[in-house]
Amino acid sequence: MSENSFDVIVVGSGPGGYVAAIRAAQLGLKTAIVEREHLGGICLNWGCIPTKALLRSAEILDHANHAKSYGLVLEGEMKPDVDAVVDRSRKVSARLNGGVGMLMKKNKISVIWGEAKLTKPGEIKVSKPSKPAVEPQHPQPKNTLGEGSYTAKHILIATGARPRALPGIEPDGELIWTYFEAMKPKKLPKSLVVMGSGAIGIEFASFYLSMGVDVTVIELMDRIMPVEDVEISKIARKALEKRGLKIITGAKVTKVDKHKDAVTAHVETSDGKTQEVKADRLISAVGVQGNIENLGLEELGVKTERGCVVIDGYGRTNVDGLYAIGDVAGPPMLAHKAEHEGVICVEKIAGLENVHPMEPLKVPGCTYCNPQVASVGLTEAKAKEAGHDIRVGRFNFAANGKAIALGEDNGLVKTIFDKNTGELLGAHMVGAEVTELIQGFVVAMGLETTEEELMHTVFPHPTLSEMMKESVLDAYGRTLNS
């Protein structure tokens, strides 16, 4: 092959893209990855990772402000240094960004800097990016290429997604923010409106609330975090409101008035009433949309739907040799889904046997607010809609010794089983560290574990994980500690 010819070219270096490239290289395929801005994509540079760094700072501050409840006395006022908090977050991203570069070098993956466009099946043209990077790029790996034409037997589109904007309420970077501006505030606003209560909206609401900001969340649906189980959503709302979060559900922002250093959101509720909510800043968190523009997809006849590329369970589009993975290929728009999708896609390309197609229901969802929320599989309502005769188990954090010792005794673990087969249909949690616990149920679902096997599994004591077993026991009337 020539320098410009590859077995696999991946367009986009987010979690799905760079993991797919690594797996392709591991399988002996000559691989290149195209990136126009930052290795690691939005997730590593502006999403998953840096937001967790911000939320960690918020968590430490919350604990410090409640030191007395742990028998500790902290002298002096505890307050956030927003510049230092943001600086730590950016350094975390920079460290991992450099790590992705090292992984590309280690796996002999060529990095092509620029903006890719499909010119015909199996060929792309890479040109200078149409817009500069949000921040100066970190040192580039040495194994880099530049502008030009490149060919590959297989091309993977992994261009991710961007914040969705509502007409008339478009972010301006000053008064109306997306997650980009919300992650790097020049100063803490005294008040904030968050439009949307999905994972992004609630995480930022939780962070700014911990930082001492007066926060109001406005959600179109009748409850916050509407993709979650109804019961979990209600518990999360109650806990967030107890912390001081103001929540307006069944409402939409019809317009936003901009002032010199503030905004006024005009809110209309489902009952036809209107109200004005004034704040220093507004975060637009009404979802994301796939980056499908300017890639040459239309010219090649690639099928798209609702702003995303249509694929099968292996990432294949309707055009031979062209694939899509991650956010650009539709929901669930999660980094770990993108990674797994990338591996599946490349292994299928390489001809490995027994490659299992993507199963969206087995992809866990996590929201890192305080309290955390995590889930996998069907909600109680969806299980009933699907025609399952179900058993539901619940176990409260208030009955768990480790949760009480941690001072984190507010939460619930909920499991849903098929009454006839014992199949675990779904698991839903709210409370401390549930984003770490949920993987136990993900593994159980992947192994097609039944309730009997879960009930005979020995969980360590004292741990929060014991609640997982107790929830299963409760579904069958056998709970031991409540």
Side-chain angles (χ1 to χ4, degrees):
M1 288 187 183
S2 70
E3 184 185 47
N4 288 21
S5 181
F6 298 87
D7 293 313
V8 173
I9 292 178
V10 181
V11 182
S13 73
Y18 85 74
V19 167
I22 290 172
R23 187 63 183 131
Q26 289 175 344
L27 293 169
L29 301 173
K30 184 184 178 184
T31 306
I33 193 163
V34 184
E35 177 54 52
R36 66 180 182 181
E37 196 167 3
H38 301 296
L39 290 175
I42 291 296
C43 174
L44 191 153
N45 293 282
W46 292 100
C48 316
I49 301 301
T51 56
K52 303 312 163 281
L54 294 177
L55 287 162
R56 178 60 170 169
S57 294
E59 182 182 30
I60 297 297
L61 181 59
D62 285 336
H63 284 315
N65 286 330
H66 294 89
K68 284 186 178 180
S69 63
Y70 294 93
L72 304 174
V73 177
L74 297 181
E75 296 183 0
E77 182 184 4
M78 293 297 300
K79 59 181 181 180
D81 179 342
V82 65
D83 290 337
V85 168
V86 170
D87 183 62
R88 176 180 180 272
S89 172
R90 300 317 305 158
K91 285 179 178 176
V92 168
S93 283
R95 176 178 171 180
L96 290 170
N97 178 284
V100 175
M102 292 300 296
L103 287 171
M104 297 299 99
K105 181 179 179 181
K106 174 185 175 182
N107 289 280
K108 297 180 174 58
I109 297 166
S110 296
V111 178
I112 306 171
W113 290 107
E115 200 160 297
K117 184 170 184 177
L118 293 157
T119 51
K120 61 183 179 180
E123 182 179 273
I124 63 170
K125 181 180 180 181
V126 178
S127 57
K128 185 178 180 180
S130 57
K131 63 177 183 177
V134 179
E135 288 181 337
Q137 291 177 353
H138 300 289
Q140 298 180 7
K142 293 181 179 179
N143 49 323
T144 60
L145 299 171
E147 298 173 47
S149 294
Y150 298 86
T151 61
K153 299 174 184 176
H154 309 279
I155 297 175
L156 277 66
I157 304 298
T159 49
R162 64 186 184 277
R164 186 183 300 276
L166 296 182
I169 316 178
E170 292 86 358
D172 58 13
E174 294 294 331
L175 297 173
I176 301 177
W177 293 348
T178 65
Y179 52 73
F180 289 103
E181 295 80 25
M183 291 190 60
K184 290 185 63 177
K186 297 175 184 176
K187 64 178 181 178
L188 282 176
K190 292 182 179 178
S191 55
L192 178 69
V193 169
V194 178
M195 191 169 62
S197 74
I200 293 173
I202 285 295
E203 286 185 5
F204 277 117
S206 183
F207 167 72
Y208 278 99
L209 189 65
S210 295
M211 294 292 108
V213 178
D214 182 6
V215 184
T216 301
V217 171
I218 300 170
E219 169 57 48
L220 180 64
M221 304 300 287
D222 61 355
R223 57 193 177 90
I224 62 169
M225 291 184 273
V227 300
E228 301 295 342
D229 184 87
V230 172
E231 191 172 3
I232 298 298
S233 176
K234 288 180 178 178
I235 293 172
R237 176 173 185 162
K238 185 176 180 180
L240 288 164
E241 288 180 329
K242 186 176 180 180
R243 290 182 55 208
L245 185 64
K246 299 171 185 175
I247 299 173
I248 306 172
T249 51
K252 62 180 179 180
V253 177
T254 56
K255 70 173 182 175
V256 175
D257 295 331
K258 298 180 183 180
H259 312 296
K260 183 178 180 181
D261 198 30
V263 296
T264 299
H266 296 260
V267 181
E268 181 181 313
T269 54
S270 55
D271 57 7
K273 296 180 180 179
T274 60
Q275 65 182 101
E276 295 181 358
V277 181
K278 297 181 179 180
D280 292 345
R281 298 291 183 271
L282 181 145
I283 295 177
S284 178
V286 292
V288 296
Q289 61 189 81
N291 292 320
I292 62 172
E293 299 85 3
N294 304 315
L295 289 169
L297 299 179
E298 291 183 3
E299 291 84 345
L300 292 185
V302 179
K303 185 177 180 181
T304 62
E305 190 175 278
R306 295 185 177 182
C308 295
V309 180
V310 176
I311 60 171
D312 66 6
Y314 299 101
R316 297 177 294 205
T317 71
N318 62 309
V319 175
D320 288 344
L322 186 64
Y323 311 78
I325 61 171
D327 290 0
V328 75
M333 293 181 173
L334 301 166
H336 42 281
K337 172 257 194 180
E339 291 183 10
H340 190 61
E341 206 164 39
V343 170
I344 288 172
C345 181
V346 168
E347 290 185 346
K348 193 69 173 177
I349 287 172
L352 269 63
E353 296 182 359
N354 301 316
V355 179
H356 297 284
M358 191 72 195
E359 296 182 71
L361 272 178
K362 293 182 180 179
V363 177
C366 297
T367 305
Y368 300 81
C369 51
N370 179 11
Q372 295 180 5
V373 175
S375 60
V376 65
L378 297 173
T379 64
E380 182 176 354
K382 290 293 185 182
K384 290 177 179 177
E385 286 177 18
H388 292 280
D389 189 6
I390 63 173
R391 288 181 178 269
V392 179
R394 299 174 178 84
F395 196 83
N396 289 299
F397 274 55
N400 176 261
K402 181 65 179 293
I404 295 169
L406 290 174
E408 303 277 2
D409 61 348
N410 181 31
L412 177 72
V413 177
K414 178 176 180 178
T415 46
I416 301 160
F417 292 88
D418 185 286
K419 187 180 290 186
N420 299 316
T421 65
E423 178 188 0
L424 176 63
L425 300 173
H428 308 272
M429 305 175 173
V430 56
E433 302 302 332
V434 297
T435 58
E436 298 291 341
L437 297 178
I438 193 63
Q439 190 59 26
F441 284 129
V442 178
V443 171
M445 290 180 70
L447 295 175
E448 299 182 351
T449 304
T450 65
E451 89 291 352
E452 183 176 354
E453 291 164 324
L454 285 168
M455 287 191 286
H456 283 87
T457 300
V458 178
F459 284 75
H461 174 80
T463 63
L464 298 175
S465 67
E466 291 174 280
M467 292 184 287
M468 298 166 67
K469 179 176 180 176
E470 288 282 3
S471 178
V472 176
L473 290 169
D474 182 63
Y476 290 84
R478 291 175 53 181
T479 185
L480 299 170
N481 287 286
S482 69

